[in-house]
mmCIF file of all heavy atoms in Angstrom:
data_model
loop_
_atom_site.group_PDB
_atom_site.id
_atom_site.type_symbol
_atom_site.label_atom_id
_atom_site.label_comp_id
_atom_site.label_asym_id
_atom_site.label_seq_id
_atom_site.Cartn_x
_atom_site.Cartn_y
_atom_site.Cartn_z
ATOM 1 N N LEU A 358 0.864 8.609 0.215
ATOM 2 C CA LEU A 358 1.276 9.858 -0.400
ATOM 3 C C LEU A 358 1.281 10.946 0.668
ATOM 4 O O LEU A 358 0.232 11.301 1.203
ATOM 5 C CB LEU A 358 0.332 10.238 -1.541
ATOM 6 C CG LEU A 358 0.661 11.502 -2.306
ATOM 7 C CD1 LEU A 358 2.025 11.379 -2.977
ATOM 8 C CD2 LEU A 358 -0.408 11.781 -3.343
ATOM 9 N N LEU A 359 2.463 11.439 0.974
ATOM 10 C CA LEU A 359 2.583 12.487 1.983
ATOM 11 C C LEU A 359 2.196 13.832 1.365
ATOM 12 O O LEU A 359 2.298 14.008 0.148
ATOM 13 C CB LEU A 359 4.013 12.529 2.513
ATOM 14 C CG LEU A 359 4.489 11.214 3.146
ATOM 15 C CD1 LEU A 359 5.953 11.319 3.524
ATOM 16 C CD2 LEU A 359 3.650 10.870 4.351
ATOM 17 N N PHE A 364 9.039 24.569 -0.484
ATOM 18 C CA PHE A 364 10.316 25.000 0.060
ATOM 19 C C PHE A 364 10.699 26.361 -0.488
ATOM 20 O O PHE A 364 10.349 26.718 -1.601
ATOM 21 C CB PHE A 364 11.430 23.974 -0.195
ATOM 22 C CG PHE A 364 11.790 23.757 -1.637
ATOM 23 C CD1 PHE A 364 12.738 24.558 -2.267
ATOM 24 C CD2 PHE A 364 11.205 22.734 -2.365
ATOM 25 C CE1 PHE A 364 13.082 24.351 -3.588
ATOM 26 C CE2 PHE A 364 11.540 22.518 -3.687
ATOM 27 C CZ PHE A 364 12.483 23.326 -4.305
ATOM 28 N N SER A 373 16.090 19.146 5.684
ATOM 29 C CA SER A 373 15.573 17.795 5.503
ATOM 30 C C SER A 373 14.050 17.855 5.369
ATOM 31 O O SER A 373 13.384 18.527 6.151
ATOM 32 C CB SER A 373 15.958 16.926 6.698
ATOM 33 O OG SER A 373 15.327 15.674 6.609
ATOM 34 N N ALA A 379 14.112 4.509 11.164
ATOM 35 C CA ALA A 379 13.790 3.190 11.689
ATOM 36 C C ALA A 379 14.157 2.085 10.702
ATOM 37 O O ALA A 379 13.595 1.012 10.746
ATOM 38 C CB ALA A 379 12.306 3.118 12.032
ATOM 39 N N ALA A 385 9.106 7.162 -3.507
ATOM 40 C CA ALA A 385 9.286 7.978 -4.708
ATOM 41 C C ALA A 385 9.366 9.422 -4.242
ATOM 42 O O ALA A 385 8.568 9.868 -3.420
ATOM 43 C CB ALA A 385 8.124 7.793 -5.668
ATOM 44 N N THR A 387 9.625 13.423 -5.567
ATOM 45 C CA THR A 387 9.465 14.359 -6.689
ATOM 46 C C THR A 387 9.784 15.763 -6.208
ATOM 47 O O THR A 387 9.231 16.221 -5.221
ATOM 48 C CB THR A 387 8.020 14.322 -7.239
ATOM 49 O OG1 THR A 387 7.731 13.007 -7.682
ATOM 50 C CG2 THR A 387 7.851 15.304 -8.385
ATOM 51 N N VAL A 388 10.690 16.420 -6.933
ATOM 52 C CA VAL A 388 11.058 17.800 -6.622
ATOM 53 C C VAL A 388 10.760 18.656 -7.848
ATOM 54 O O VAL A 388 11.181 18.318 -8.958
ATOM 55 C CB VAL A 388 12.548 17.924 -6.250
ATOM 56 C CG1 VAL A 388 12.927 19.380 -6.025
ATOM 57 C CG2 VAL A 388 12.863 17.100 -5.026
ATOM 58 N N SER A 392 12.437 28.006 -9.311
ATOM 59 C CA SER A 392 13.285 29.192 -9.216
ATOM 60 C C SER A 392 14.221 29.322 -10.412
ATOM 61 O O SER A 392 14.311 28.436 -11.247
ATOM 62 C CB SER A 392 14.092 29.145 -7.922
ATOM 63 O OG SER A 392 15.044 28.094 -7.982
ATOM 64 N N ASP A 397 19.858 21.245 -5.062
ATOM 65 C CA ASP A 397 20.372 19.885 -4.927
ATOM 66 C C ASP A 397 19.431 19.048 -4.068
ATOM 67 O O ASP A 397 19.021 19.477 -2.987
ATOM 68 C CB ASP A 397 21.758 19.882 -4.278
ATOM 69 C CG ASP A 397 22.839 20.431 -5.190
ATOM 70 O OD1 ASP A 397 22.601 20.526 -6.410
ATOM 71 O OD2 ASP A 397 23.922 20.754 -4.677
ATOM 72 N N LEU A 398 19.111 17.856 -4.567
ATOM 73 C CA LEU A 398 18.365 16.861 -3.799
ATOM 74 C C LEU A 398 19.387 15.868 -3.264
ATOM 75 O O LEU A 398 20.120 15.253 -4.045
ATOM 76 C CB LEU A 398 17.340 16.153 -4.683
ATOM 77 C CG LEU A 398 16.637 14.937 -4.078
ATOM 78 C CD1 LEU A 398 15.815 15.325 -2.857
ATOM 79 C CD2 LEU A 398 15.761 14.265 -5.127
ATOM 80 N N VAL A 408 23.883 10.256 -2.231
ATOM 81 C CA VAL A 408 23.806 10.655 -3.640
ATOM 82 C C VAL A 408 23.156 12.037 -3.716
ATOM 83 O O VAL A 408 22.164 12.303 -3.042
ATOM 84 C CB VAL A 408 22.981 9.641 -4.456
ATOM 85 C CG1 VAL A 408 22.927 10.045 -5.916
ATOM 86 C CG2 VAL A 408 23.547 8.246 -4.314
ATOM 87 N N THR A 411 21.407 17.347 -8.910
ATOM 88 C CA THR A 411 21.175 18.765 -9.123
ATOM 89 C C THR A 411 19.989 18.940 -10.059
ATOM 90 O O THR A 411 19.989 18.407 -11.169
ATOM 91 C CB THR A 411 22.421 19.443 -9.711
ATOM 92 O OG1 THR A 411 23.492 19.287 -8.782
ATOM 93 C CG2 THR A 411 22.176 20.926 -9.947
ATOM 94 N N PRO A 413 18.084 21.495 -12.277
ATOM 95 C CA PRO A 413 18.277 22.826 -12.861
ATOM 96 C C PRO A 413 17.061 23.729 -12.646
ATOM 97 O O PRO A 413 15.974 23.282 -12.281
ATOM 98 C CB PRO A 413 18.468 22.538 -14.348
ATOM 99 C CG PRO A 413 18.796 21.089 -14.441
ATOM 100 C CD PRO A 413 18.128 20.440 -13.267
ATOM 101 N N LEU A 415 13.810 25.794 -13.109
ATOM 102 C CA LEU A 415 12.544 25.552 -13.813
ATOM 103 C C LEU A 415 12.431 24.127 -14.353
ATOM 104 O O LEU A 415 11.908 23.902 -15.441
ATOM 105 C CB LEU A 415 12.371 26.571 -14.947
ATOM 106 C CG LEU A 415 12.422 28.036 -14.498
ATOM 107 C CD1 LEU A 415 12.436 28.960 -15.700
ATOM 108 C CD2 LEU A 415 11.279 28.357 -13.563
ATOM 109 N N ASN A 416 12.901 23.136 -13.584
ATOM 110 C CA ASN A 416 12.815 21.729 -13.949
ATOM 111 C C ASN A 416 12.326 20.915 -12.768
ATOM 112 O O ASN A 416 12.201 21.414 -11.657
ATOM 113 C CB ASN A 416 14.187 21.203 -14.397
ATOM 114 C CG ASN A 416 14.460 21.483 -15.844
ATOM 115 O OD1 ASN A 416 13.870 20.872 -16.705
ATOM 116 N ND2 ASN A 416 15.346 22.437 -16.094
ATOM 117 N N LEU A 420 12.358 10.426 -8.506
ATOM 118 C CA LEU A 420 13.216 9.274 -8.268
ATOM 119 C C LEU A 420 12.454 8.192 -7.533
ATOM 120 O O LEU A 420 11.635 8.481 -6.666
ATOM 121 C CB LEU A 420 14.403 9.653 -7.381
ATOM 122 C CG LEU A 420 15.408 10.654 -7.881
ATOM 123 C CD1 LEU A 420 16.394 10.970 -6.764
ATOM 124 C CD2 LEU A 420 16.137 10.106 -9.067
ATOM 125 N N LYS A 423 15.073 2.921 -3.084
ATOM 126 C CA LYS A 423 14.939 1.792 -2.169
ATOM 127 C C LYS A 423 15.578 2.151 -0.833
ATOM 128 O O LYS A 423 16.635 2.747 -0.789
ATOM 129 C CB LYS A 423 15.627 0.555 -2.741
ATOM 130 C CG LYS A 423 14.884 -0.074 -3.874
ATOM 131 C CD LYS A 423 15.106 -1.565 -3.809
ATOM 132 C CE LYS A 423 14.172 -2.294 -4.717
ATOM 133 N NZ LYS A 423 12.910 -2.588 -4.116
ATOM 134 N N ALA A 428 15.621 12.449 2.844
ATOM 135 C CA ALA A 428 15.585 13.244 1.609
ATOM 136 C C ALA A 428 15.689 14.704 2.028
ATOM 137 O O ALA A 428 14.875 15.186 2.810
ATOM 138 C CB ALA A 428 14.295 13.005 0.833
ATOM 139 N N ALA A 437 18.155 32.572 -3.879
ATOM 140 C CA ALA A 437 17.193 31.703 -3.202
ATOM 141 C C ALA A 437 16.527 30.760 -4.197
ATOM 142 O O ALA A 437 16.383 31.072 -5.370
ATOM 143 C CB ALA A 437 16.143 32.550 -2.505
#
Side-chain angles (χ1 to χ4, degrees):
L358 182 61
L359 301 175
F364 65 87
S373 173
T387 300
V388 176
S392 68
D397 289 344
L398 171 63
V408 181
T411 299
L415 303 172
N416 276 288
L420 296 174
K423 287 213 168 274

